[in-house]
Amino acid sequence: MCELLGMSANVPTDICFSFAGLMQRGGRTGPHADGWGIAFYEGKGARAFHDPRPSADSDVARFVRDHPIKSCTVLSHIRRANRGRVALENTHPFQRELWGRLWTFAHNGQLAGVKRWPLRHYHPVGTTDSEHAFCWMLDRLREAFPASPPGHRLAAAIEALSRRLAATGVFNMLMSDGRWLYCFCGKRMAWLTRRAPFGPATLIDEDLSADFAKETTPRDVVTVVATRPLTRDEAWTVMEPGQFVVFREGERWMHRRVAVPELEHAA
């Protein structure tokens, strides 16, 4: 499967350290050599970089690693192709507009039959089941809510849609509108929150360490989400299959499940 990386922080933060570990898994320490992408939110906009080359050998990936771009919300993905050819249009994360905000989505896993699910408002550019699933989710949200709903209703709706998709296969997902980071674990995912007192960390996939105490303030809160832990000396929380977690400004917000009648007949 592919691998995911996300970040939610309460202050603009660069993700260079974590990305340096992830990019090695794209063709060097891992088999995910079929392209990669990353999106950095800034306000309502997002800087996005994509490359169909392996991230471990990509000049664009090295640029991202070596040039800190500070953001409060970041999504990244390295691809191992199983549905859709290796091509720029098939690299995650995918982006679309909804309710006047730019939504970003990245997924790993396979979803049987999803590309036969009907779409109305949003349509894929590429040929992956992942992009089709993203378009389907936004279709259902747009039809259920003419305007952006309150946070708890929106989170419940995204969870309900995620569970529908997870019933078709493996659905590990990161999704964001720049404010909230939604995470669904279909098989494998882990997260880590860094806060004071900060300490050192060492990457698993790269001979690189960082002392976050020298780069942060006592008020900083930064959560990193990844398919597999990226560091060897920090306490990662491993998510259970079927778990849905939402982060905002680095803090975890686990909503309770609520009924969303508008989505009962989404498929």
Side-chain angles (χ1 to χ4, degrees):
M1 292 193 302
C2 310
E3 292 210 16
L4 304 171
L5 171 64
M7 185 188 76
S8 173
N10 66 342
V11 294
T13 304
D14 77 69
I15 201 171
C16 295
F17 178 72
S18 296
F19 183 73
L22 181 75
M23 67 178 284
Q24 298 307 315
R25 296 178 181 179
R28 186 159 298 158
T29 63
H32 314 88
D34 299 321
W36 67 276
I38 190 168
F40 302 86
Y41 275 94
E42 183 177 329
K44 295 175 70 174
R47 291 183 175 91
F49 300 85
H50 296 83
D51 191 348
R53 297 184 59 202
S55 56
D57 300 323
S58 169
D59 291 335
V60 182
R62 284 190 284 271
F63 174 86
V64 171
R65 179 196 62 190
D66 297 338
H67 293 78
I69 299 174
K70 293 185 180 294
S71 174
C72 289
T73 308
V74 179
L75 282 78
S76 185
H77 179 279
I78 54 174
R79 184 175 185 232
R80 186 177 185 183
N82 50 56
R83 301 285 176 86
R85 67 188 182 94
V86 177
L88 185 62
E89 66 267 23
N90 287 332
T91 59
H92 308 221
F94 304 108
Q95 295 183 325
R96 297 290 193 280
E97 179 274 333
L98 176 63
W99 305 314
R101 298 198 68 91
L102 189 62
W103 286 77
T104 303
F105 171 95
H107 158 251
N108 70 40
Q110 297 183 17
L111 305 172
V114 164
K115 292 178 71 173
R116 294 193 296 270
W117 291 12
L119 302 174
R120 181 178 178 186
H121 305 289
Y122 298 92
H123 299 278
V125 175
T127 56
T128 64
D129 54 354
S130 302
E131 189 181 13
H132 193 103
F134 179 40
C135 292
W136 177 83
M137 291 181 77
L138 293 186
D139 260 6
R140 303 287 79 78
L141 292 172
R142 178 172 170 176
E143 293 182 356
F145 306 111
S148 182
H152 70 281
R153 292 198 71 202
L154 179 55
I158 292 173
E159 181 188 17
L161 294 171
S162 296
R163 293 190 184 282
R164 294 287 295 273
L165 288 162
T168 71
V170 177
F171 188 68
N172 299 304
M173 180 274 290
L174 296 178
M175 184 172 176
S176 181
D177 67 348
R179 299 170 296 184
W180 302 83
L181 179 62
Y182 303 94
C183 313
F184 187 88
C185 176
K187 184 176 182 180
R188 183 183 300 116
M189 195 174 292
W191 60 271
L192 165 75
T193 298
R194 298 184 178 116
R195 65 174 80 240
F198 293 93
T202 306
L203 291 173
I204 294 172
D205 299 89
E206 175 85 338
D207 185 16
L208 184 65
S209 298
D211 185 354
F212 292 107
K214 297 179 180 179
E215 304 174 15
T216 55
T217 73
R219 300 190 336 188
D220 293 0
V221 181
V222 180
T223 291
V224 177
V225 184
T227 301
R228 294 180 292 135
L230 292 165
T231 56
R232 66 177 78 254
D233 44 9
E234 295 180 289
W236 289 76
T237 298
V238 177
M239 295 174 63
E240 298 179 358
Q243 188 175 4
F244 178 74
V245 184
V246 184
F247 297 95
R248 182 165 187 175
E249 296 182 349
E251 298 286 0
R252 183 181 64 170
W253 181 66
M254 279 290 292
H255 77 282
R256 66 181 181 85
R257 295 190 64 189
V258 296
V260 185
E262 298 96 326
L263 297 171
E264 287 181 358
H265 304 289

